[in-house]
Amino acid sequence: MIIVVAAVIERSDRRFLIGQRRRNDTSPLKWEFPGGKVRGGESPEVALARELQEELGVTLVKSVELGRVRHHYAETPEELEIRFFAAAIAESQLVARAFEEIAWALPKELGNYDFLAANHQLIAQLATGRIKPAEILEATGETGAR
């Protein structure tokens, strides 16, 4: 099984950062939360920090796991376990290094984007307010661990 991490970054205006996969990637032009595969020897948190730096040029300040989903895409031989993290970043300026484009979307707007299938359950929970990543991060105090 391949472990994948994804950052759910919420701004103070309640908008979430999402990225559109490049046209030459697998699942071209689908939308997703920033992140990627955990490499051998990496913790999920270290992988999340590395992926955010590689994909957006930002520094991870804090993260708390929100949940996990197992999914198997037809084009991949192995099942994926996607671990979603509420995440806070240091920078306000982002560089879309690994995406066709990036956007900040309100919870109610998330359904307007063509997301990867593994994201659908989380999208529904974010759109209805059942999961509020910024509040979860705030409730964890200074350590960022849970």
Side-chain angles (χ1 to χ4, degrees), residues 1 8 19 23 30 46 48 51 58-59 62 76 81 105 107 111-112 114 117 131:
M1 177 171 318
V8 182
R23 30 187 103 253
K30 292 278 190 178
V46 167
L48 189 65
E51 288 286 347
V58 297
T59 305
K62 185 177 184 181
T76 59
E81 180 180 82
N112 299 335
D114 186 15
I131 293 180

mmCIF file of all heavy atoms in Angstrom, residues 1 8 19 23 30 46 48 51 58-59 62 76 81 105 107 111-112 114 117 131:
data_model
loop_
_atom_site.group_PDB
_atom_site.id
_atom_site.type_symbol
_atom_site.label_atom_id
_atom_site.label_comp_id
_atom_site.label_asym_id
_atom_site.label_seq_id
_atom_site.Cartn_x
_atom_site.Cartn_y
_atom_site.Cartn_z
ATOM 1 N N MET A 1 0.832 -1.184 0.000
ATOM 2 C CA MET A 1 0.000 0.000 0.000
ATOM 3 C C MET A 1 0.877 1.248 0.000
ATOM 4 O O MET A 1 1.879 1.307 0.684
ATOM 5 C CB MET A 1 -0.884 0.006 1.243
ATOM 6 C CG MET A 1 -1.705 1.249 1.318
ATOM 7 S SD MET A 1 -2.968 1.295 2.584
ATOM 8 C CE MET A 1 -3.656 -0.311 2.499
ATOM 9 N N VAL A 8 -4.918 20.134 4.090
ATOM 10 C CA VAL A 8 -6.140 20.923 3.996
ATOM 11 C C VAL A 8 -5.822 22.252 4.694
ATOM 12 O O VAL A 8 -5.801 22.339 5.914
ATOM 13 C CB VAL A 8 -7.333 20.194 4.656
ATOM 14 C CG1 VAL A 8 -8.599 21.023 4.501
ATOM 15 C CG2 VAL A 8 -7.506 18.807 4.046
ATOM 16 N N GLY A 19 -5.429 22.557 -5.613
ATOM 17 C CA GLY A 19 -4.569 22.621 -6.796
ATOM 18 C C GLY A 19 -5.099 21.729 -7.901
ATOM 19 O O GLY A 19 -5.662 20.664 -7.643
ATOM 20 N N ARG A 23 -1.849 18.857 -16.968
ATOM 21 C CA ARG A 23 -2.483 18.069 -18.028
ATOM 22 C C ARG A 23 -1.719 16.807 -18.401
ATOM 23 O O ARG A 23 -2.302 15.902 -18.970
ATOM 24 C CB ARG A 23 -2.794 18.893 -19.275
ATOM 25 C CG ARG A 23 -1.964 20.014 -19.624
ATOM 26 C CD ARG A 23 -2.479 20.868 -20.800
ATOM 27 N NE ARG A 23 -3.091 22.106 -20.379
ATOM 28 C CZ ARG A 23 -4.391 22.352 -20.404
ATOM 29 N NH1 ARG A 23 -5.201 21.460 -20.831
ATOM 30 N NH2 ARG A 23 -4.865 23.488 -20.012
ATOM 31 N N LYS A 30 -7.595 17.176 -12.806
ATOM 32 C CA LYS A 30 -8.431 16.949 -11.626
ATOM 33 C C LYS A 30 -7.909 17.835 -10.496
ATOM 34 O O LYS A 30 -6.722 18.168 -10.436
ATOM 35 C CB LYS A 30 -8.373 15.485 -11.175
ATOM 36 C CG LYS A 30 -9.024 14.519 -12.122
ATOM 37 C CD LYS A 30 -10.513 14.495 -11.893
ATOM 38 C CE LYS A 30 -11.143 13.347 -12.657
ATOM 39 N NZ LYS A 30 -12.574 13.267 -12.420
ATOM 40 N N VAL A 46 6.683 14.628 8.079
ATOM 41 C CA VAL A 46 7.870 15.063 7.338
ATOM 42 C C VAL A 46 7.568 15.083 5.840
ATOM 43 O O VAL A 46 7.945 16.017 5.123
ATOM 44 C CB VAL A 46 9.086 14.156 7.662
ATOM 45 C CG1 VAL A 46 10.231 14.392 6.683
ATOM 46 C CG2 VAL A 46 9.546 14.390 9.091
ATOM 47 N N LEU A 48 4.655 15.545 4.474
ATOM 48 C CA LEU A 48 3.760 16.670 4.222
ATOM 49 C C LEU A 48 4.558 17.969 4.101
ATOM 50 O O LEU A 48 4.351 18.752 3.169
ATOM 51 C CB LEU A 48 2.725 16.781 5.344
ATOM 52 C CG LEU A 48 1.587 17.761 5.117
ATOM 53 C CD1 LEU A 48 0.707 17.328 3.953
ATOM 54 C CD2 LEU A 48 0.751 17.891 6.382
ATOM 55 N N GLU A 51 6.488 17.900 0.753
ATOM 56 C CA GLU A 51 5.601 18.089 -0.395
ATOM 57 C C GLU A 51 5.126 19.535 -0.522
ATOM 58 O O GLU A 51 5.065 20.076 -1.626
ATOM 59 C CB GLU A 51 4.392 17.145 -0.298
ATOM 60 C CG GLU A 51 4.734 15.686 -0.570
ATOM 61 C CD GLU A 51 5.001 15.380 -2.039
ATOM 62 O OE1 GLU A 51 4.692 16.215 -2.916
ATOM 63 O OE2 GLU A 51 5.530 14.287 -2.309
ATOM 64 N N VAL A 58 6.273 26.602 0.267
ATOM 65 C CA VAL A 58 5.853 27.093 1.581
ATOM 66 C C VAL A 58 6.358 26.180 2.699
ATOM 67 O O VAL A 58 6.700 25.021 2.472
ATOM 68 C CB VAL A 58 4.312 27.230 1.689
ATOM 69 C CG1 VAL A 58 3.804 28.261 0.691
ATOM 70 C CG2 VAL A 58 3.610 25.906 1.507
ATOM 71 N N THR A 59 6.368 26.738 3.909
ATOM 72 C CA THR A 59 6.836 26.029 5.092
ATOM 73 C C THR A 59 5.655 25.596 5.941
ATOM 74 O O THR A 59 4.806 26.423 6.304
ATOM 75 C CB THR A 59 7.746 26.956 5.931
ATOM 76 O OG1 THR A 59 8.797 27.439 5.088
ATOM 77 C CG2 THR A 59 8.324 26.218 7.124
ATOM 78 N N LYS A 62 2.350 23.744 11.235
ATOM 79 C CA LYS A 62 1.617 22.876 12.151
ATOM 80 C C LYS A 62 0.689 21.982 11.342
ATOM 81 O O LYS A 62 0.153 22.411 10.323
ATOM 82 C CB LYS A 62 0.809 23.779 13.089
ATOM 83 C CG LYS A 62 0.075 23.112 14.193
ATOM 84 C CD LYS A 62 -0.591 24.214 15.020
ATOM 85 C CE LYS A 62 -1.285 23.656 16.228
ATOM 86 N NZ LYS A 62 -1.947 24.704 17.004
ATOM 87 N N THR A 76 -3.444 2.753 -11.114
ATOM 88 C CA THR A 76 -2.341 2.436 -10.203
ATOM 89 C C THR A 76 -2.443 0.986 -9.748
ATOM 90 O O THR A 76 -3.539 0.499 -9.454
ATOM 91 C CB THR A 76 -2.340 3.352 -8.951
ATOM 92 O OG1 THR A 76 -3.581 3.208 -8.267
ATOM 93 C CG2 THR A 76 -2.122 4.804 -9.334
ATOM 94 N N GLU A 81 -3.495 4.791 0.626
ATOM 95 C CA GLU A 81 -4.093 5.287 1.859
ATOM 96 C C GLU A 81 -3.764 6.768 1.906
ATOM 97 O O GLU A 81 -2.595 7.139 2.013
ATOM 98 C CB GLU A 81 -3.531 4.586 3.097
ATOM 99 C CG GLU A 81 -4.166 5.134 4.377
ATOM 100 C CD GLU A 81 -3.643 4.478 5.635
ATOM 101 O OE1 GLU A 81 -2.558 4.910 6.095
ATOM 102 O OE2 GLU A 81 -4.296 3.547 6.129
ATOM 103 N N ALA A 105 -10.876 28.270 -2.443
ATOM 104 C CA ALA A 105 -12.314 28.066 -2.622
ATOM 105 C C ALA A 105 -13.042 28.014 -1.289
ATOM 106 O O ALA A 105 -12.560 27.414 -0.325
ATOM 107 C CB ALA A 105 -12.547 26.761 -3.378
ATOM 108 N N PRO A 107 -15.974 26.705 1.244
ATOM 109 C CA PRO A 107 -16.508 25.348 1.403
ATOM 110 C C PRO A 107 -17.654 25.033 0.443
ATOM 111 O O PRO A 107 -17.671 23.970 -0.181
ATOM 112 C CB PRO A 107 -16.972 25.314 2.862
ATOM 113 C CG PRO A 107 -16.114 26.313 3.549
ATOM 114 C CD PRO A 107 -15.865 27.397 2.532
ATOM 115 N N GLY A 111 -17.710 21.822 -4.341
ATOM 116 C CA GLY A 111 -18.448 20.923 -5.221
ATOM 117 C C GLY A 111 -18.428 21.339 -6.685
ATOM 118 O O GLY A 111 -18.767 20.546 -7.565
ATOM 119 N N ASN A 112 -18.012 22.570 -6.960
ATOM 120 C CA ASN A 112 -17.943 23.059 -8.348
ATOM 121 C C ASN A 112 -16.668 22.600 -9.059
ATOM 122 O O ASN A 112 -16.520 22.825 -10.260
ATOM 123 C CB ASN A 112 -17.998 24.585 -8.384
ATOM 124 C CG ASN A 112 -19.287 25.128 -7.800
ATOM 125 O OD1 ASN A 112 -20.309 24.447 -7.780
ATOM 126 N ND2 ASN A 112 -19.239 26.347 -7.293
ATOM 127 N N ASP A 114 -13.791 19.612 -10.120
ATOM 128 C CA ASP A 114 -13.718 18.185 -10.456
ATOM 129 C C ASP A 114 -12.562 17.548 -9.687
ATOM 130 O O ASP A 114 -11.434 17.484 -10.171
ATOM 131 C CB ASP A 114 -13.522 18.028 -11.971
ATOM 132 C CG ASP A 114 -13.577 16.583 -12.425
ATOM 133 O OD1 ASP A 114 -14.042 15.715 -11.657
ATOM 134 O OD2 ASP A 114 -13.139 16.319 -13.568
ATOM 135 N N ALA A 117 -11.433 11.252 -7.026
ATOM 136 C CA ALA A 117 -12.470 10.476 -6.336
ATOM 137 C C ALA A 117 -12.181 10.292 -4.851
ATOM 138 O O ALA A 117 -13.099 10.332 -4.023
ATOM 139 C CB ALA A 117 -12.643 9.128 -7.018
ATOM 140 N N ILE A 131 -16.406 19.288 9.252
ATOM 141 C CA ILE A 131 -14.985 19.352 9.600
ATOM 142 C C ILE A 131 -14.536 20.786 9.374
ATOM 143 O O ILE A 131 -14.743 21.343 8.289
ATOM 144 C CB ILE A 131 -14.142 18.388 8.739
ATOM 145 C CG1 ILE A 131 -14.487 16.936 9.058
ATOM 146 C CG2 ILE A 131 -12.656 18.630 8.968
ATOM 147 C CD1 ILE A 131 -13.688 15.929 8.241
#
